Amino acid sequence: MAAFCRARGLSPTHFFAWKKRLILAGPQPFVEVHLVDAGRATQAAAGHGSAIEIRLPTGRSLLVEPGFDPNHLRALLAVLESRV
């Protein structure tokens, strides 16, 4: 653990704080991520600034701009995922 933290410039206090936080949060589901080639990524960025597109299994998608409110996004995703 000490070597891991040292190699990444982390303090052991922060390491253990995050470890505890992740343990208390419980298991989280994985999110599937698809990579696109650089040409498509450049075109997408040109059309939407530096927004991130989130595509849900239902076929719906969201564009998330930098500076978004994480709590608002969580609430929105919960609503969208609950509607089938």
Side-chain angles (χ1 to χ4, degrees):
M1 184 279 309
F4 176 87
C5 289
R6 200 172 25 258
R8 289 160 179 81
L10 301 173
S11 75
T13 304
H14 283 110
F15 177 86
F16 285 114
W18 273 103
K19 181 179 176 182
K20 180 179 179 181
R21 184 174 177 179
L22 292 172
I23 289 170
L24 292 175
Q28 299 296 311
F30 281 96
V31 176
E32 185 177 359
V33 175
H34 296 277
L35 300 177
V36 296
D37 64 50
R40 286 183 59 199
T42 302
Q43 290 172 347
H48 300 292
S50 56
I52 298 170
E53 182 178 8
I54 301 171
R55 292 187 187 175
L56 302 173
T58 59
R60 293 183 171 118
S61 65
L62 303 170
L63 284 177
V64 180
E65 297 286 341
F68 67 91
D69 177 357
N71 291 324
H72 186 212
L73 179 60
R74 279 187 205 96
L76 180 58
L77 286 170
V79 169
L80 292 174
E81 290 177 335
S82 69
R83 296 184 183 186
V84 180

